[in-house]
Amino acid sequence: MCGRYSLFAPPADLEARFDAAFDFEFEPRYNAAPSQSLPVITNDDPDTIQRMEWGLIPSWADSRSDHGYINARAETLGQKRSFADAYESRRCLVPADGFYEWVDSAEQRSANSRAATPRDSGGGGKQPYRVALPDDDIFAMAGLYERWEPPQRQTGLGEFGGGGDDGGEDDVVETFTIVTTEPNDAVRDLHHRMAVILSPGEEETWLTADTATAVDLLDPYDGPMRTYPVSTAVNSPHTDRPELIEEVEV
């Protein structure tokens, strides 16, 4: 599962890394959380880094509050009604430079520990860990996105008008979800799922290939990663400051 992540690289570095330009004023995020408007790069506009709300709402949903899928299992993307259409034609990259997982402190002391993060990813009494690439390198997680508008306003995507953190039931909104897969060795002791992390050479393929090709990208990341405990202050989605990514003693 991926329920929180960070993205604090300078905007110029992000634009250079993805060969795309921001269409909004980006601010660093040390604790990106569901329902927030966050940067994505879509297959229909790969030259732009735009904002979408984290928590996918299928286009056919009667209400935006009925759904809000923050994750989608790689193994069933083509089978689940909520994701099948997006998997076919609406894929995106979700830039990040780290993500968080929560582990029961007692279980972590066991060699066989493997704890599941609560659905709201708030962590409760669990110990949060940050997972990142060496040197906090920027990476892209595989994502899917959707455009949703209230049933009474189904007048075509050409009139789409944006959405975000404070949108209401009558607003049109674009949302995204992060695809997850089996964990690699670095994440296995923290959680039984992890985000699909694409290598730079796989990113364009994820955006442009057919599903028969794209499915081969949905495997655990096989590059070096580092994990370390961080402050429980990250448990609150309302807390977002640089100190959250610092290692703490446990």
Side-chain angles (χ1 to χ4, degrees):
M1 181 173 182
C2 180
R4 301 281 182 80
Y5 65 93
S6 63
L7 182 63
F8 54 82
D13 291 356
L14 287 164
E15 291 182 328
R17 168 65 175 76
F18 294 104
D19 193 22
F22 280 96
D23 71 353
F24 65 97
E25 186 173 347
F26 171 73
E27 295 183 0
R29 305 302 295 263
Y30 299 91
N31 191 15
S35 82
Q36 296 176 352
S37 291
L38 300 164
V40 298
I41 300 163
T42 66
N43 59 342
D44 67 348
D45 192 5
D47 297 327
T48 302
I49 305 175
Q50 55 188 292
R51 286 188 296 188
M52 292 187 181
E53 185 176 312
W54 186 10
L56 186 141
I57 304 170
S59 60
W60 43 261
D62 291 332
S63 168
R64 64 174 293 171
S65 60
D66 290 344
H67 303 273
Y69 300 102
I70 66 171
N71 291 159
R73 293 178 64 92
E75 297 87 344
T76 56
L77 289 181
Q79 304 166 27
K80 298 291 187 179
R81 184 188 178 201
S82 297
F83 309 124
D85 287 347
Y87 179 42
E88 180 72 33
S89 57
R90 288 181 294 280
R91 299 187 212 129
C92 64
L93 306 177
V94 183
D97 43 35
F99 60 89
Y100 301 99
E101 295 294 355
W102 279 260
V103 174
D104 182 277
S105 297
E107 291 182 10
Q108 178 62 17
R109 289 192 291 268
S110 168
N112 296 322
S113 69
R114 182 164 63 180
T117 304
R119 191 186 188 287
D120 65 2
S121 299
K126 297 176 183 287
Q127 173 61 50
Y129 281 74
R130 184 166 181 264
V131 184
L133 304 188
D135 301 318
D136 285 323
D137 292 339
I138 302 164
F139 57 88
M141 298 181 286
L144 309 175
Y145 71 99
E146 275 286 7
R147 296 179 175 91
W148 179 87
E149 53 185 294
Q152 68 271 23
R153 290 180 54 186
Q154 296 287 350
T155 56
L157 297 181
E159 297 184 13
F160 169 73
D165 303 74
D166 55 0
E169 282 292 331
D170 293 330
D171 293 330
V172 181
V173 62
E174 279 191 326
T175 59
F176 74 92
T177 188
I178 295 171
V179 182
T180 66
T181 187
E182 295 294 319
N184 60 14
D185 289 342
V187 177
R188 186 166 292 112
D189 284 342
L190 305 179
H191 201 273
H192 63 280
R193 304 290 295 177
M194 70 176 294
V196 172
I197 297 176
L198 302 166
S199 68
E202 295 174 331
E203 292 166 3
E204 183 177 0
T205 303
W206 173 249
L207 293 181
T208 62
D210 58 25
T211 55
T213 302
V215 69
D216 293 333
L217 307 180
L218 303 178
D219 52 1
Y221 182 71
D222 63 359
M225 304 189 81
R226 60 193 182 101
T227 66
Y228 59 91
V230 295
S231 169
T232 54
V234 77
N235 291 2
S236 171
H238 305 295
T239 304
D240 193 347
R241 57 178 186 263
E243 293 81 4
L244 295 181
I245 67 168
E246 296 178 1
E247 185 172 0
V248 300
E249 293 186 4
V250 294

